[in-house]
Amino acid sequence: MTIRRILIANRGEIAVRVIRTCRALGIETVLAASEADLDSAPSKLAHRALCIGPAHPSESYLKADTIVQAALGVQADAIHPGYGFLSERAALARLCEEHGLIFIGPTSGQIEAAGDKLRARSEAEAAGVPTLAGDPVETIGEALALGREIGPPFLIKAAGGGGGRGMKKVDRLEDLPEAMELAAAEAGSAFGDTRLYLERFITRARHVEVQILGDGQGNVVHLGERDCSVQRRYQKLIEETPAPALSEEFLSRIRAAAVELAERLAYRSVGTVEFLVDLERDEFYFLEMNARIQVEHPVTEAVTGFDLVAEQIAVANGQELRLQQQNIRLEGCAIECRVNAEDPAHNFRPSPGTIRSVVWPSGEGIRVDTHIGPGACIPPFYDSLIAKIIVRAADRASTIERLRLAIAATRIDGVATNLPFHAEILADPEFEKGGVDTSYVPRFLERRRVLLEA
Amino acid sequence: MTLTAKDVAEIIQLLEQSCFDSLSLEMDGMRLNLQRGCTAPVSETHNDAAAETASSVPPPPPSAKARPPSKPGLFDVTSPFLGIFYRAPKPGQPPFIEVASKVEEDTVIGIIEVMKLMNSVPAGVKGEVVEILAENGALVEYGEVLLRVRPEASP
């Protein structure tokens, strides 16, 4: 089957990004948009925009039945789910499978395997990928016994979900019972699933993830890794490749581990295997697998030269992998910063509104993925990402310098953004040195607060 | 008093549902001008999305339809869902309503199917059907005008 028309079940910059590739491939696009997004850039760029429901995501972007009905109604061949929303809901993939539509992503079975933390972890173990000491725990007695074995500090996690909910850090064995009760209650109300998991907590960790691509026929390649340790409240802010200050030997082991897991699943589509790198033990451990195109994928595109969305569409269409590992070269260095409509001067509170004027940077080695032009509206119903600025250069120092200049050339009037915060991070000697851990942003903010008060 | 983004969104919605084409509001030193239709904002700055809109015109969509403007004095009955619109309860049966039918608020005027789930659509107004826009068996969008009713003047 050949894909001629794709329904895009998403919004914002990723919808624009998918439309761009579809145009290059000569594929028609239909955008499934909420009422709040009918005047957005992707609505105008798509061949057709369909209003699928009111602004609130639960009445539009999260309705799998409506999305599939829309795709069937316009005779689309395939659905691209973007990231977030329904992208990792097995139910949408299954509905597509049942109705003869191509889901541009993994199979519903693969989404289920990657989405359940316990299941993903056992798949990782079976593939020989290192996992952190830990196990599911049902009773407080079990938790205490396991806690004595692995030693504090611990992390209690919800098996059924992520995003920090149901997650508790525990420093002392005697605090475990109370933390477990809290975590179970939180997990139950957030995910309807009270299953918990106890594992060793890594005090100083980096977040390093490997981009993989598989064709569902057993062929899998990796396209290098991204370091996403610059995070605030589990939200990534800056991503870069290659991961700085790690040896080539270490990187080749972590990349191979990701490929082994994807091979075990006979994975189809683009995906990301996330790892925690323990800086004290100099080891890496499986964290989770994301069965979707990720926000930060352009970083990888910048150093490989490949269009990941085009490859994702090709393998969804049943084609064999066109890329061979020996032909994938990782050249130079790339960094992305996420531009969010949020105000760093007021504890990063959201800043929706209308853009009066905007100038995005341009020039050699600079790419901007955005849906925001002058007059664009940032509705309050969705996440605050308005653009991604991605730069590439030969080495890390010149990439940082190029990104600094790109940020300085950016002008956004109408809403507050976190760009000043990015500029500060890029000028910080600790970031410049490379290899910061995930506690870097909170430490940086604290350092700055102390400085301002002095 | 200042307008929040939510206020503006609500005002836009009011304009959408009204029979007016533009709205201007002045209060406390601020002015809000709203205009119906898709006049793209003119600007000298460039961005990828805006530049592309201007430079390459996509081929016409296979089944696109422009939204008809509202008509003064008539009530638009809009689709509460995206789905397939059916005018009759079953194939071969007479339609729920025709032009000139009298409807009450709760008179069923059609069915919207969303993946085999049938949702009946009430008229939402008392009056006389003047025009039926949606075709039987066609995909309708959320908010699309299905038919127009001349409301009965309240006694």
Side-chain angles (χ1 to χ4, degrees), chain B residues 1-2 5 8 13 16 27 30 33 37 42 50 63 70 72 83 85 90 96 104 108-110 117-118 133 144 146:
Chain B
M1 186 190 156
T2 53
V8 175
Q13 202 147 32
E16 287 278 351
M27 52 191 278
M30 76 160 285
N33 280 314
V42 183
S63 48
S70 299
F85 178 66
K90 287 205 170 87
F96 290 105
E104 304 277 330
V108 173
I109 58 97
L117 207 75
M118 303 298 175
L133 291 99
E144 185 168 333
L146 303 174

Side-chain angles (χ1 to χ4, degrees), chain A residues 143-413:
Chain A
L144 287 170
L146 179 65
R148 261 177 230 115
E149 196 184 309
I150 57 181
F154 315 106
L155 195 64
I156 300 176
K157 284 179 171 177
R165 286 192 291 181
M167 197 137 97
K168 298 273 170 243
K169 187 194 165 203
V170 185
D171 291 317
R172 301 179 311 173
L173 197 62
E174 54 265 42
D175 297 336
L176 258 181
E178 198 192 331
M180 260 190 81
E181 275 174 36
L182 276 173
E186 254 180 62
S189 68
F191 314 114
D193 181 352
T194 57
R195 289 176 306 152
L196 294 180
Y197 191 85
L198 180 74
E199 66 184 20
R200 180 168 76 82
F201 178 80
I202 304 181
T203 312
R204 286 184 58 230
R206 284 171 61 181
H207 175 118
V208 176
E209 58 184 34
V210 178
Q211 176 69 57
I212 52 113
L213 170 69
D215 61 8
Q217 300 163 42
N219 302 308
V220 175
V221 292
H222 73 79
L223 294 100
E225 73 291 334
R226 297 180 290 257
D227 187 314
C228 316
S229 304
V230 180
Q231 306 182 354
R232 180 180 168 271
R233 297 189 180 168
Y234 304 108
Q235 300 299 311
K236 298 165 184 170
L237 289 167
I238 295 177
E239 300 99 345
E240 62 180 296
T241 189
L246 291 174
S247 71
E248 197 51 45
E249 184 270 335
F250 188 92
L251 290 177
S252 61
R253 276 196 292 131
I254 204 168
R255 293 163 180 168
V259 169
E260 271 154 33
L261 174 56
E263 277 175 350
R264 180 179 159 78
L265 299 173
Y267 189 78
R268 180 191 76 192
S269 194
V270 292
T272 302
V273 185
E274 298 189 335
F275 296 94
L276 283 177
V277 174
D278 185 334
L279 291 177
E280 276 151 18
R281 300 194 186 185
D282 201 21
E283 255 316 323
F284 63 83
Y285 303 96
F286 173 75
L287 181 61
E288 62 180 48
M289 181 164 184
N290 297 321
R292 59 166 192 270
I293 186 87
Q294 277 191 276
V295 175
E296 59 271 29
H297 75 275
V299 166
T300 299
E301 292 183 329
V303 297
T304 60
F306 294 116
D307 178 337
L308 288 179
V309 174
E311 298 309 318
Q312 186 187 26
I313 293 171
V315 295
N317 203 11
Q319 291 182 37
E320 243 184 68
L321 214 55
R322 301 183 284 199
L323 310 183
Q324 289 178 310
Q325 194 66 60
Q326 65 267 29
N327 298 332
I328 300 171
R329 293 198 206 303
L330 310 170
E331 285 176 356
C333 172
I335 307 182
E336 167 182 281
C337 67
R338 298 192 187 190
V339 185
N340 295 332
E342 55 186 30
D343 190 352
H346 293 95
N347 201 28
F348 296 89
R349 70 178 176 204
S351 171
T354 300
I355 302 287
R356 276 196 299 274
S357 69
V358 58
V359 181
W360 293 114
S362 59
E364 199 199 327
I366 297 175
R367 163 175 168 182
V368 179
D369 277 21
T370 185
H371 58 297
I372 295 299
C377 177
I378 301 161
F381 318 102
Y382 313 110
D383 75 29
S384 62
L385 182 73
I386 59 170
K388 306 180 303 203
I389 302 178
I390 307 104
V391 303
R392 179 185 172 275
D395 56 63
R396 192 167 183 271
S398 35
T399 310
I400 292 176
E401 181 57 18
R402 183 166 281 176
L403 184 50
R404 269 190 214 135
L405 293 172
I407 288 175
T410 308
R411 293 271 176 281
I412 302 169
D413 277 329

Side-chain angles (χ1 to χ4, degrees), chain A residues 5 20 23 28 35 41 45 47-54 65-66 68-70 74 99 358-360 368 372-374, chain B residues 13 41 43 45-49 52-53 56 58-59 61-65 67 81-84 113-115 139 141-142:
Chain A
R5 187 177 298 155
R20 181 160 300 139
R23 284 194 171 185
E28 281 184 2
E35 203 173 23
L45 289 171
H47 291 101
R48 182 178 176 189
L50 279 180
C51 186
I52 53 166
D65 279 354
T66 298
V68 173
Q69 180 69 70
V74 296
H99 289 88
V358 58
V359 181
W360 293 114
V368 179
I372 295 299
Chain B
Q13 202 147 32
S43 159
T45 50
H46 282 271
N47 95 20
D48 283 358
E52 255 188 71
T53 322
S56 55
S63 48
K65 44 198 162 189
R67 291 201 171 193
F81 306 102
L82 174 143
I84 309 296
E113 180 199 342
V114 187
M115 301 304 287
L139 178 74
E141 299 176 35
Y142 167 76

Side-chain angles (χ1 to χ4, degrees), chain B residues 19-101:
Chain B
C19 56
F20 300 103
D21 283 323
S22 66
L23 179 150
S24 67
L25 176 70
E26 260 182 272
M27 52 191 278
D28 298 333
M30 76 160 285
R31 183 186 300 163
L32 179 71
N33 280 314
L34 294 175
Q35 189 135 23
R36 200 189 272 281
C38 323
T39 339
V42 183
S43 159
E44 287 174 20
T45 50
H46 282 271
N47 95 20
D48 283 358
E52 255 188 71
T53 322
S55 61
S56 55
V57 181
S63 48
K65 44 198 162 189
R67 291 201 171 193
S70 299
K71 289 184 182 169
L74 297 185
F75 180 91
D76 290 344
V77 180
T78 58
S79 175
F81 306 102
L82 174 143
I84 309 296
F85 178 66
Y86 294 108
R87 290 190 52 198
K90 287 205 170 87
Q93 291 188 354
F96 290 105
I97 47 110
E98 296 280 8
V99 170
S101 294

